[in-house]
Amino acid sequence: MGNATSTKGEKQLYIAAMANVTQIERKEMGMIRKSFGDACVTGAYMINRDQLADAMTAANIMPQDVEILERMFTMFDKMGAAAIDYREFLAGLAPLVRGDVKARVLF
């Protein structure tokens, strides 16, 4: 979420903008970001399919839901890098958790 030279004010502005766009409250975004960070094994703030699967196992996601989550991963991976960053994850997750019925159906 920004580079090492970002100021605290820039980070706060980024968080406010993401909260506005995603309609996810700042506190919730912080919890999601922490969970996402916990799933990251490497120094890069990205997760791959295996890390997502490990996180799903740790969260007791039912095996029948894993296939749906695999498809979601593919949809979230806009760059085709076989890994998703926090921004892709949050932007993909937002319509599912905060979108209206139309946004959820279009997802």
Side-chain angles (χ1 to χ4, degrees), residues 48-85:
N48 60 32
R49 289 181 188 278
D50 292 337
Q51 292 164 329
L52 179 64
D54 291 345
M56 295 302 119
T57 301
N60 293 322
I61 301 297
M62 304 301 280
Q64 60 268 29
D65 295 332
V66 171
E67 183 176 336
I68 293 168
L69 293 168
E70 283 282 327
R71 290 180 186 170
M72 287 174 49
F73 183 93
T74 300
M75 292 171 62
F76 292 176
D77 184 15
K78 301 287 186 201
M79 303 301 287
I84 55 176
D85 64 19

Side-chain angles (χ1 to χ4, degrees), residues 1-12 14:
M1 186 178 92
N3 59 33
T5 61
S6 295
T7 66
K8 185 175 181 177
E10 289 171 334
K11 289 179 182 179
Q12 292 299 323
Y14 172 81

Side-chain angles (χ1 to χ4, degrees), residues 1 13-33 76 85-100 103-104:
M1 186 178 92
L13 184 60
Y14 172 81
I15 291 169
M18 286 297 288
N20 185 47
V21 170
T22 62
Q23 299 177 357
I24 296 174
E25 294 179 17
R26 289 179 189 196
K27 184 177 181 180
E28 290 174 304
M29 280 197 332
M31 293 186 307
I32 293 168
R33 188 174 197 286
F76 292 176
D85 64 19
Y86 174 69
R87 187 181 309 168
E88 289 173 320
F89 181 73
L90 193 61
L93 189 64
L96 297 174
V97 298
R98 289 290 182 245
D100 59 13
R104 291 177 189 186

